[in-house]
C-alpha cells in the first residue's frame, strides 16, 4: 500500500529569513542575525536574491557555516517551516497592536503589510507611530539626546514577550524609558532593508547614551495572497492504514476463534485487545466501509 499525504496549516509558511531568524534565536544569535541583515545592501525586491542573501548571512553567523551540526539542523528546520507557528503567533501580536493603534497608523499613512514601528514613553503617556526610515532616524536623534517623542495623553505599553528579538535593552522600568517595537515581514519587500537599518541605528543611538528602554523586532504580516500554507511537519501527525486483505484475515480469524470457544467470544476478553477486529487505532473500519462501499475489498 503506497500512501502519500501532504498537509498544510491554516497559517502561511514563513519567509526563509524569518525561519532562519527563529532558528538562530534558539542559539542566542537572533539579534546578531538581524544586525547582519541590516548591514547588507537592498536585494532589489527580488525574492530569489533576498532568499540567497538571507541564507548567506545566516551561514556566516555559525562558527563552521552550513557544514556544522548547527548549520545542518538550521537548514533542516527552515526547509520544513519548523518556526512558522512561532512567526504566526508574533504576527498575531502585530494584528492586536495595529488594531489598538489604528487611528495613529492612519494618521501617518501606514499601509497594511508595510513595515512600521511604535515608540512609547509609558511614564509620560506619550506615543508615536511611524512607517518610514526617516521617522525612525528622527526618533534616534531625539531619544539619543535625552529628549522625548510622541503626543501626550495616549497611554500604551510595549508588552515584553518571549517572541521579541531585542536589539537593545536597558533598565526598561525607568521613568524615562523609551519602548520601541518594529514590525516587518522578512520577505524581502521594498523598503525592508532601509527599515531594518533605521531600527538598528535607533537601538545604537540609545545604547550610545545608555538611555533606558527597549528596541525590539517582531515579525509582521506578509503578502497573504501569495503565501502558501505552512507544511505540517514534526507536529506529531501520523497516518496508519490497513489493507482490505488484513481486515478480512482478522475477521476470519476472529470468527473461527468464536466458533471454537476461543477468547474472542468473551466480551470481557475483547475489551483488553488493543486492536479489535473492526477497529484500528480508534478508526471504526466497518463504519468507513458502510459509508464508502466503493472502497471495500472484493
Amino acid at each position: 500500500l503506497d500512501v502519500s499525504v501532504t498537509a498544510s496549516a491554516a497559517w502561511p509558511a514563513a519567509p526563509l529569513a524569518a525561519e532562519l531568524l527563529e532558528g538562530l534565536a534558539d542559539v542566542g544569535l537572533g539579534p546578531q542575525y538581524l544586525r547582519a541583515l541590516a548591514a547588507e545592501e537592498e536585494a532589489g525586491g527580488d525574492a530569489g536574491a533576498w532568499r540567497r542573501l538571507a541564507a548567506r548571512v545566516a551561514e556566516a553567523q555559525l562558527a563552521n557555516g552550513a557544514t556544522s551540526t548547527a548549520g545542518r539542523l538550521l537548514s533542516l528546520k527552515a526547509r520544513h517551516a519548523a518556526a512558522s507557528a512561532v512567526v504566526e503567533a508574533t504576527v498575531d501580536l502585530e494584528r492586536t497592536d495595529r488594531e489598538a493603534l489604528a487611528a495613529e497608523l492612519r494618521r501617518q499613512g501606514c499601509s497594511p503589510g508595510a513595515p512600521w514601528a511604535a515608540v512609547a514613553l509609558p511614564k509620560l503617556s506619550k506615543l508615536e507611530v511611524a512607517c518610514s526610515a526617516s521617522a525612525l532616524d528622527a526618533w534616534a536623534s531625539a531619544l539619543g539626546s535625552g529628549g522625548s517623542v510622541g503626543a501626550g495623553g495616549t497611554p500604551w505599553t510595549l508588552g515584553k514577550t518571549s517572541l521579541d528579538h531585542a536589539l537593545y535593552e536597558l533598565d526598561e522600568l525607568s521613568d524615562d524609558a523609551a519602548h520601541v517595537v518594529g514590525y516587518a515581514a522578512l520577505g524581502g519587500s521594498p523598503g525592508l532593508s532601509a527599515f531594518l537599518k533605521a531600527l538598528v541605528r535607533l537601538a545604537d543611538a540609545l545604547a550610545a547614551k545608555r538611555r533606558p528602554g527597549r528596541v525590539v523586532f517582531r515579525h509582521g504580516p506578509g503578502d497573504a495572497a501569495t503565501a502558501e500554507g505552512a507544511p505540517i511537519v514534526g507536529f506529531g501527525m501520523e497516518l496508519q492504514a490497513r489493507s482490505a486483505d488484513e481486515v478480512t484475515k482478522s475477521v476470519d480469524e476472529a470468527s473461527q476463534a468464536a466458533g471454537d470457544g476461543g477468547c474472542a467470544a468473551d466480551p470481557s476478553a475483547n475489551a483488553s485487545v488493543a486492536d479489535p477486529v473492526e477497529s484500528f487505532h480508534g478508526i471504526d473500519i466497518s463504519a468507513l466501509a458502510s459509508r464508502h462501499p466503493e472502497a471495500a475489498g472484493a
Side-chain angles (χ1 to χ4, degrees):
L1 182 63
D2 186 11
V3 178
S4 177
V5 175
T6 300
S8 297
W11 57 86
L16 176 62
E19 289 281 351
L20 294 172
L21 171 60
E22 293 303 326
L24 289 167
D26 289 341
V27 291
L29 297 175
Q32 181 176 319
Y33 179 61
L34 280 172
R35 287 179 173 275
L37 273 182
E40 296 289 334
E41 293 300 320
E42 186 96 40
D46 179 77
W50 173 255
R51 286 174 60 87
R52 291 190 292 273
L53 183 148
R56 175 171 56 80
V57 172
E59 183 178 346
Q61 307 311 307
L62 302 170
N64 296 314
T67 60
S68 66
T69 301
R72 291 195 296 270
L73 177 60
L74 180 61
S75 175
L76 180 65
K77 292 173 70 175
R79 188 162 61 249
H80 292 292
S84 63
V86 175
V87 174
E88 179 62 18
T90 313
V91 171
D92 197 50
L93 290 178
E94 190 273 349
R95 296 188 186 104
T96 301
D97 284 345
R98 177 174 287 274
E99 183 178 351
L101 303 175
E104 286 78 7
L105 287 167
R106 284 194 299 269
R107 191 175 300 118
Q108 295 295 329
C110 300
S111 58
W116 65 281
V119 57
L121 286 80
K123 299 294 185 180
L124 301 177
S125 294
K126 288 191 174 184
L127 168 74
E128 188 169 304
V129 301
C131 46
S132 68
S134 59
L136 267 64
D137 284 336
W139 291 354
S141 177
L143 296 173
S145 61
S148 65
V149 297
T154 311
W156 184 74
T157 302
L158 167 60
K160 189 174 183 177
T161 78
S162 60
L163 301 173
D164 297 341
H165 297 284
L167 294 168
Y168 174 72
E169 194 169 28
L170 176 69
D171 194 17
E172 67 269 20
L173 299 180
S174 174
D175 286 347
D176 62 339
H179 295 240
V180 181
V181 57
Y183 284 109
L186 295 180
S189 61
L192 172 62
S193 181
F195 179 83
L196 288 178
K197 292 179 189 299
L199 193 64
V200 168
R201 285 195 295 267
L202 174 56
D204 290 345
L206 268 64
K209 296 296 183 178
R210 294 189 60 80
R211 171 73 184 260
R214 301 180 71 225
V215 179
V216 305
F217 172 86
R218 291 178 183 170
H219 299 286
D223 187 354
T226 60
E228 298 180 352
I232 300 180
V233 177
F235 283 81
M237 189 180 73
E238 180 182 12
L239 173 69
Q240 301 208 18
R242 197 176 189 187
S243 70
D245 290 341
E246 287 181 299
V247 175
T248 303
K249 184 174 182 295
S250 296
V251 172
D252 291 342
E253 290 176 349
S255 299
Q256 183 179 1
D260 294 341
C263 64
D266 183 0
S268 63
N270 261 341
S272 64
V273 177
D275 183 17
V277 172
E278 294 300 325
S279 178
F280 183 65
H281 287 265
I283 301 173
D284 190 334
I285 297 174
S286 60
L288 286 175
S290 64
R291 294 172 187 168
H292 304 280
E294 71 281 0

